[in-house]
Amino acid sequence: MSQVEAPLEGSQPLPLEALVRLSLVVVVSLVLQLSLLDGVRVAGAHPDLLVLLPVAVGLLAGPDRGASVGFVVGLVTDLVLPTPFGLSALVGTLLGAAAGSLRPGRARPSLWMAVPLVAAGAAAGTVLRGVLLALFGVPKALTAYLPPALVVVTVGGLVLGPLVLRAVRWALPVEEPARPGPGLGGSAAPGRVRT
Amino acid sequence: MARPRPRRARRVRRTWLRVLGLVVVSAVLVTLDYRGELHGAVNAARRSTADALNPVERAVDDVLHPVGHFFAGALEYGSLARQNAELRLELRRAEGQVLRLGTERRELDQLARLEHLPFVDVATIPTVTAEVIGQSSSNFEATVTLDKGQDDGVAVGMPVVDGLGLVGRVVQVASHQATVELITDSRSVVSVTYGTAGALAAASGQGPGAALRVDYVPNRAPIHRGELLSTSSVRSTAAGTQATVSARPVADLGSLGFVDVLAWEPPG
């Protein structure tokens, strides 16, 4: 059953193939965000693909992996934003870790369960960013910018969530526990890695 | 004898220690950048990133825009034809205005010379025409990206105008790219002048799509509805009783295509 599939634990080193795939997902997401999604404006706000990534990784691969990917994606985002450097990394780390801790057991959640969680995570990330920017003295961060951003990012999360989840699923390998043999309980055989 | 710590508990502890470490590193980076200790390195990294991403963004843009234009053009053919006819009329009106303005400018120049006024004539300032190639990647700022940068003569602080009025000012430059903070950005404050006496006030951005807030309007020189405000390099001196009014930017900030960057930096 697919519910017992578990992603590789964050403490294990990421296989090279997964690392390459994950880097590709981050770069493609960045390019799509800059050249396409930034132009999709509703009341001055746009969907945020880069805030969905750490949430999706956290949900599918746990808090450790979610925080690490959130940190890296955040640093990349900080390179294209004029906000304080490290702010997006902080938001990404917290988002990835929080999403990972919400993961039901060690099983990957189903798509129908994961998409609303990804959208909710993106909304939480937007609120956190708004609060931090308000603390750093950006005027009207919570009153003028946050309300439309919250709506657009959440709706964008629901629309783009399945795509992001599929991309992360493709990038990160899954460790399938060995099928329980008769009388063995499935505990002795090592796991199998699939993508 | 102490019981050995379960493997899972150790793993969980290690995970949260790593998360804590990343949070601390991020917080240190934010603090250092906020205190200005990383500005040089961060600006250089941001410039290099912009330069590296520029060709990729353009290539994607070249592929995606014609598709978007094709569908937009097919769906809006009727309104585009009407818009075209209106623009032709607008152009003829503008040509007539240019002829009239020529005479007025000559008179203004003579007056300015006679009175020794430090007057900046926008028409004489060299400009760099740039295309708006992108909008802000953050939902907490109102900026646009131009396809011209440092190598084209664009520098931080330069004002940006469209055919009708002020759009914003340059806040970041890369070799072939510049970021413009729009006047609707909540961090933007612009000195404005109005009326025949040249009363001063300050217009501040209130976020994308929202009207500008004009503060420090002297009660002795009220602004009338529909009055045109001009930007000024002179700062408003808040004195006497004042009022606050709303103003709408003349420039259409929602659909910027090409803009002019004025190669002029306002006095500090």
Side-chain angles (χ1 to χ4, degrees):
Chain A
M1 277 182 46
S2 66
Q3 278 295 310
V4 295
E5 290 176 3
L8 287 172
E9 281 304 315
S11 50
Q12 297 171 20
L14 204 60
L16 184 66
E17 191 190 346
L19 202 64
V20 171
R21 285 183 177 197
L22 200 56
S23 307
L24 197 67
V25 169
V26 173
V27 172
V28 170
S29 300
L30 180 69
V31 172
L32 280 178
Q33 181 67 49
L34 294 176
S35 55
L36 190 67
L37 293 175
D38 283 354
V40 181
R41 297 264 157 182
V42 181
H46 58 77
D48 197 342
L49 196 57
L50 296 172
V51 84
L52 300 176
L53 268 180
V55 187
V57 174
L59 278 175
L60 296 182
D64 199 339
R65 211 70 94 193
S68 307
V69 171
F71 180 76
V72 174
V73 171
L75 281 185
V76 171
T77 310
D78 281 326
L79 285 174
V80 295
L81 293 183
T83 44
F85 189 80
L87 195 129
S88 305
L90 183 60
V91 172
T93 304
L94 292 173
L95 266 187
S101 65
L102 284 178
R103 201 167 49 124
R106 285 184 61 211
R108 283 189 167 183
S110 66
L111 193 69
W112 294 112
M113 198 173 142
V115 171
L117 284 175
V118 166
T126 307
V127 172
L128 181 60
R129 180 184 286 274
V131 170
L132 288 173
L133 284 172
L135 288 175
F136 278 101
V138 173
K140 312 249 170 232
L142 297 177
T143 51
Y145 293 105
L146 185 58
L150 199 54
V151 174
V152 175
V153 169
T154 309
V155 174
L158 290 171
V159 175
L160 298 168
L163 210 73
V164 175
L165 285 162
R166 275 181 201 285
V168 172
R169 240 184 134 89
W170 170 77
L172 290 175
V174 175
E175 185 183 336
E176 282 180 2
R179 290 175 196 282
L184 287 173
S187 57
R192 181 167 65 89
V193 173
R194 76 163 177 84
T195 56
Chain B
M1 205 171 92
R3 232 177 71 191
R5 192 186 288 272
R7 219 176 121 208
R8 182 165 167 75
R10 268 207 315 271
R11 205 171 53 213
V12 168
R13 189 166 166 265
R14 206 163 45 223
T15 293
W16 288 108
L17 273 177
R18 194 177 297 183
V19 171
L20 187 68
L22 291 174
V23 168
V24 170
V25 171
S26 308
V28 168
L29 285 174
V30 173
T31 310
L32 289 176
D33 189 40
Y34 192 68
R35 289 169 58 178
E37 288 168 38
L38 285 180
H39 266 186
V42 168
N43 283 346
R46 282 179 172 156
R47 247 197 315 272
S48 307
T49 308
D51 288 337
L53 287 173
N54 195 9
V56 184
E57 275 181 68
R58 277 173 195 241
V60 175
D61 198 53
D62 286 346
V63 173
L64 294 177
H65 261 191
V67 181
H69 287 168
F70 172 78
F71 286 109
L75 290 170
E76 296 168 14
Y77 179 80
S79 69
L80 284 176
R82 197 180 62 246
Q83 209 174 43
N84 201 312
E86 283 170 359
L87 285 173
R88 282 174 196 279
L89 176 66
E90 204 74 36
L91 184 65
R92 283 199 294 276
R93 282 180 187 152
E95 282 168 353
Q97 266 178 352
V98 167
L99 293 173
R100 285 194 296 279
L101 282 174
T103 317
E104 285 171 16
R105 182 169 291 130
R106 274 195 298 279
E107 288 171 4
L108 186 64
D109 285 346
Q110 285 169 0
L111 195 63
R113 271 198 300 275
L114 282 171
E115 298 291 331
H116 305 290
L117 293 173
F119 181 74
V120 179
D121 185 359
V122 172
T124 62
I125 299 173
T127 58
V128 179
T129 301
E131 187 181 2
V132 175
I133 54 166
Q135 301 202 45
S136 168
S137 292
S138 167
N139 277 319
F140 294 90
E141 58 176 33
T143 60
V144 290
T145 309
L146 306 182
D147 69 340
K148 296 284 163 63
Q150 210 165 20
D151 291 1
D152 309 288
V154 176
V156 171
M158 288 180 173
V160 179
V161 296
D162 76 345
L164 291 170
L166 184 70
V167 165
R169 68 183 184 96
V170 176
V171 289
Q172 200 172 304
V173 284
S175 304
H176 297 288
Q177 205 168 293
T179 306
V180 177
E181 180 187 270
L182 300 178
I183 52 172
T184 48
D185 188 285
S186 62
R187 286 163 296 188
S188 162
V189 182
V190 185
S191 281
V192 290
T193 179
Y194 64 95
T196 47
L200 287 166
S204 53
Q206 304 295 304
L212 302 178
R213 179 183 149 135
V214 185
D215 291 308
Y216 311 124
V217 177
N219 279 351
R220 59 180 166 74
I223 297 179
H224 302 288
R225 196 181 177 85
E227 192 164 344
L228 197 67
L229 307 174
S230 308
T231 47
S232 168
S233 62
V234 181
R235 287 219 173 91
S236 171
T237 50
T241 50
Q242 293 133 17
T244 297
V245 297
S246 290
R248 188 175 53 81
V250 177
D252 184 6
L253 302 179
S255 58
L256 292 169
F258 284 87
V259 292
D260 282 329
V261 182
L262 304 182
W264 175 79
E265 287 172 58

